[in-house]
Structures are given as C-alpha cells and as structure tokens.
Amino acid sequence: MKKIFLIIAIVLMAGGLSAQGKEDPENPETRGYGVAIGVEAPDFVITYLNGETAKLSSLRGKLVMLQFTASWCPVCRSEMPYIESEIWQKYQNDTNFVLIAVDLKENPKTIKKFISDTKITYPLTLDEKGEIFALYTEKNAGVTRNILIAPNGRIIFLTRLFDREEFDMLVSIIDSELKNIKR
C-alpha cells in the first residue's frame, strides 16, 4: 500500500495531476487552493504565541508542513490528534522537519484554549487577519488544509479536509522526503 502512495505522490510532485483526494464541489480543479503542487510556496512571516517570529523562506533546506486550522472547525479538531501522534511525535526532534500550524483569524486567548482542548503539543501560530491563509487559498476557502513544502521551497503535497487515505499518503511522503534529505 505504501508503494502505491509513493507512486501517486511522485506523479503529483511531477505535476501530473492538479490535486489529489476528494474534489471540492465548489472548485473541483483546485479544491479551494490558490497554489498548486510544483510551485514555490508563498513566503510569509509567522508569529508564534510567545511573540517569536519566523520567515518561511528561512526554513529552506528543511521539509515544512503547514497546517491551516481553526478552533471552530470540527474537521480540524478530528484531524489534530492524528497530526500529533503520527507526525509531530515521530518527527519533532528531526532537525530537517518543521511543522507550523496556522490558526485562522483567532486571537491568542482563543488559540491557547484550543491547544488545551485538543491537547496538542505542536506549535499553533497566529494568522489573526487571515493574510497567510489568503496567500495559499482562494477567497472564502475553508480550513482543514495541510501543505507540504520540500527543502527547495516548492509545494509537493496538498490536502483538504481529513481523509484517512490522503493523510496516510501525507505521512508516507514525509517519511520518504526525510530519508532523502538524510542521504
């Protein structure tokens, strides 16, 4: 099964398909994304809850996963335990991997409660005006999105909503990419 996922991922990374998984009925071609696999990820500065900032482009050379989420989103809440256990707990100490969860249009107080409610330990960052989200999505697009960015800064995988097979593919691609970085 992992071999099938890797083959599909290679086709996606090569630009053979515009999106994977279930289609968004509002826009079946993009699933609400304003970016696509193979393009350079739009740069931004993220603010962590402790006030520290980081620029996405400063993370070149690392595999970066962006998770767009919000406390009011039930699908986000359903997906977060999987991200915590199957991605964050496995790779949090890998210096070649960065996970940036981006909370859409909420304030620090709400985000702190969200972290407490979901019991996640990975960093949840601020996008209070939705400006970062707007760099990656079409207007009025929904959350529950993961974007995987290769060490060269190009997008290699996009997810929308939580689908177990698509999530397993995401994890498989992370495994494969990190092995390639370490060679």
Side-chain angles (χ1 to χ4, degrees):
M1 190 63 120
K2 282 188 177 185
K3 287 180 183 177
I4 292 170
F5 287 144
L6 289 175
I7 291 168
I8 292 169
I10 290 166
V11 170
L12 291 170
M13 288 186 281
L17 299 172
S18 61
Q20 68 286 340
K22 296 177 182 166
E23 292 183 352
D24 182 343
E26 295 171 13
N27 192 338
E29 286 300 310
T30 67
R31 299 169 71 200
Y33 274 104
V35 296
I37 292 170
V39 303
E40 187 171 324
D43 203 12
F44 59 85
V45 174
I46 195 69
T47 302
Y48 291 86
L49 288 176
N50 65 5
E52 290 182 27
T53 60
K55 192 169 186 176
L56 179 63
S57 58
S58 73
L59 300 172
R60 290 281 165 85
K62 298 178 185 295
L63 182 66
V64 178
M65 178 181 157
L66 301 179
Q67 178 213 10
F68 286 102
T69 189
S71 67
W72 47 263
C73 170
V75 178
C76 299
R77 287 177 176 267
S78 296
E79 180 185 54
M80 292 173 91
Y82 295 98
I83 293 172
E84 174 71 27
S85 65
E86 296 179 37
I87 296 174
W88 181 244
Q89 290 303 316
K90 188 174 180 181
Y91 298 115
Q92 67 180 319
N93 296 320
D94 189 322
T95 58
N96 294 309
F97 180 73
V98 177
L99 171 59
I100 302 173
V102 182
D103 187 273
L104 179 61
K105 295 184 180 178
E106 296 182 309
N107 62 51
K109 182 178 178 184
T110 301
I111 295 171
K112 287 176 185 173
K113 183 175 182 333
F114 187 26
I115 291 168
S116 175
D117 290 350
T118 58
K119 298 177 179 34
I120 61 164
T121 61
Y122 59 88
L124 197 50
T125 64
L126 299 164
D127 186 14
E128 291 183 276
K129 294 180 183 177
E131 294 168 340
I132 297 168
F133 189 69
L135 292 172
Y136 287 85
T137 62
E138 295 175 345
K139 188 175 182 179
N140 300 319
V143 291
T144 313
R145 294 174 182 277
N146 297 302
I147 301 169
L148 197 59
I149 303 167
N152 67 3
R154 297 208 173 271
I155 295 171
I156 57 173
F157 198 69
L158 302 166
T159 72
R160 173 71 179 110
L161 298 172
F162 179 70
D163 175 270
R164 186 66 224 197
E165 284 184 39
E166 187 174 64
F167 186 84
D168 288 344
M169 190 182 302
L170 172 67
V171 173
S172 184
I173 293 169
I174 291 170
D175 286 340
S176 177
E177 287 293 316
L178 288 173
K179 285 176 188 169
N180 287 337
I181 291 171
K182 293 173 183 170
R183 285 186 196 172

